[in-house]
Amino acid sequence: QVQLQESGPGLVKPSETLSLTCTVSGGSISSYYWSWIRQPAGKGLEWIGRISTSGSTNYNPSLKNRVTMSVDTSKNQFSLKLSSVTAADTAMYYCARDVGGTNHALFDSWGQGTLVTVSS
Amino acid sequence: QAVLTQPSSLSASPGASASLTCTLRSDINVGSYRIYWYQQKPGSPPQYLLRYKSDSDKQQGSGVPSRFSGSKDASANAGILLISGLQSEDEADYYCMIWHSSAVVFGGGTKLTVL
């Protein structure tokens, strides 16, 4: 069964860039889309975007200008960069496997999440 | 107006049924969309429950009990998650989701209390 694990700094300063990596184990990263989803404490889910192993991306329009995603198939990893962060970006960040395909999305496996706090 | 609107909370008794709604914005026709449902318990990531577009286009998540089912109310432009035979373990947050304009959209979530 595929497992996902997020990693990265838990504290980021305002205006800096948040960088997270998701490592996939128990299966190949190929042939699927890979998403990032976040959740502020006590609030709902917000999809950040996704990337395929061919490098195709879809981003949340509200975050598009600040988001960059990449994938490293040799390491079975994919990554998120979110620039110019503010306190509003403080949240639990989840990575997830998306088996929905080009015109659908279905998250069947999730990481446990990593808490990122934006503060000076 | 939000793309997907869910009631913030719902309470129901053990053994009863609970109907969780996900209303689409009026300019989006529920008939055209697959509605996905996720369950999230405190301290855990969400888990996929099921998706529903029609009786001929639906899917149950792996290991998800059949007492969780999906449907639609076209007159209300809404997707519905029906949970029958409620159990205490069903107490959780439930999120609906659609793929819209090449992006994922989540509803705000419904906190289901079983008491």
Side-chain angles (χ1 to χ4, degrees):
Chain A
Q1 184 174 351
V2 68
Q3 294 184 318
L4 295 85
Q5 179 67 59
E6 305 89 350
S7 59
L11 181 65
V12 182
K13 290 182 169 54
S15 80
E16 295 190 343
T17 296
L18 177 160
S19 296
L20 296 174
T21 296
C22 183
T23 301
V24 179
S25 59
S28 172
I29 199 171
S30 300
S31 304
Y32 295 112
Y33 283 87
W34 302 90
S35 274
W36 289 96
I37 297 153
R38 69 182 184 179
Q39 184 173 37
K43 296 189 177 181
L45 302 169
E46 181 179 34
W47 180 74
I48 300 170
R50 72 177 189 179
I51 187 167
S52 72
T53 49
S54 65
S56 172
T57 56
N58 299 100
Y59 294 145
N60 185 324
S62 68
L63 298 170
K64 184 177 182 178
N65 292 338
R66 298 196 290 131
V67 172
T68 303
M69 293 184 182
S70 60
V71 62
D72 186 337
T73 54
S74 67
K75 294 182 179 179
N76 250 27
Q77 293 178 334
F78 62 104
S79 298
L80 166 70
K81 291 188 185 298
L82 182 65
S83 63
S84 305
V85 297
T86 69
D89 296 308
T90 294
M92 183 71 77
Y93 284 75
Y94 295 102
C95 59
R97 185 174 74 171
D98 177 357
V99 299
T102 304
N103 295 312
H104 298 285
L106 192 166
F107 307 116
D108 72 335
S109 298
W110 297 66
Q112 287 301 305
T114 187
L115 180 62
V116 178
T117 302
V118 178
S119 176
S120 55
Chain B
Q1 185 183 6
V3 174
L4 299 177
T5 300
Q6 298 181 251
S8 59
S9 62
L10 180 68
S11 297
S13 300
S17 295
S19 181
L20 285 69
T21 59
C22 175
T23 303
L24 279 65
R25 196 175 61 199
S26 58
D27 63 326
I28 302 170
N29 184 354
V30 69
S32 301
Y33 289 84
R34 287 177 170 175
I35 311 291
Y36 299 80
W37 290 93
Y38 293 85
Q39 177 193 64
Q40 186 180 30
K41 295 183 178 180
S44 295
Q47 287 192 313
Y48 170 64
L49 289 175
L50 57 88
R51 68 163 168 84
Y52 184 90
K53 182 176 182 182
S54 66
D55 284 346
S56 60
D57 183 353
K58 61 182 180 180
Q59 179 195 56
Q60 199 81 352
S62 176
V64 176
S66 59
R67 57 192 188 83
F68 290 84
S69 62
S71 66
K72 289 180 178 178
D73 181 347
S75 65
N77 203 35
I80 297 169
L81 174 68
L82 179 66
I83 311 173
S84 59
L86 277 170
Q87 302 176 2
S88 58
E89 66 201 52
D90 298 331
E91 187 162 292
D93 295 327
Y94 292 85
Y95 294 91
C96 61
M97 186 199 90
I98 63 172
W99 177 258
H100 173 64
S101 297
S102 299
V104 167
V105 180
F106 285 104
T110 296
K111 181 176 183 59
L112 175 64
T113 301
V114 180
L115 44 66

